[in-house]
Amino acid sequence: RDISNFSDENNIPFLDLTPFFKKYKGEDNLFVVDNQHPSKSGNEIAAKQIFNFLINKKLISTSDNKNFHILK
């Protein structure tokens, strides 16, 4: 929570992926055996959420790159 507060106070974009991983808990193994690093499925979920966050915050534009359709 400290990172979230710091980013808010300093106008730094911040995305907490925890709620997204909790939403999918139990559906697929989102983490590798050590339970700390995302599996392929976990990385796909993270990539989509980060992509959407960057678009919504207008930090990137999909019009700049035709390959962004992969993540939609």
Side-chain angles (χ1 to χ4, degrees):
R1 191 74 192 146
D2 291 335
I3 295 172
S4 178
N5 291 338
F6 177 83
S7 62
D8 286 343
E9 292 168 3
N10 292 282
N11 200 28
I12 300 170
F14 173 75
L15 173 64
D16 182 2
L17 292 172
T18 306
F20 300 105
F21 283 121
K22 285 183 178 179
K23 178 180 174 184
Y24 291 97
K25 188 175 183 177
E27 289 186 27
D28 191 5
N29 189 4
L30 301 180
F31 296 92
V32 293
V33 176
D34 66 6
N35 207 27
Q36 294 179 5
H37 295 92
S39 65
K40 181 180 177 188
S41 297
N43 278 311
E44 289 172 358
I45 289 168
K48 288 177 184 178
Q49 297 307 321
I50 293 167
F51 175 77
N52 289 330
F53 176 81
L54 294 173
I55 293 294
N56 291 335
K57 295 288 184 179
K58 299 188 184 335
L59 298 171
I60 61 171
S61 169
T62 57
S63 63
D64 296 339
N65 190 323
K66 64 180 180 236
N67 294 319
F68 282 143
H69 72 279
I70 296 167
L71 293 174
K72 289 184 180 177

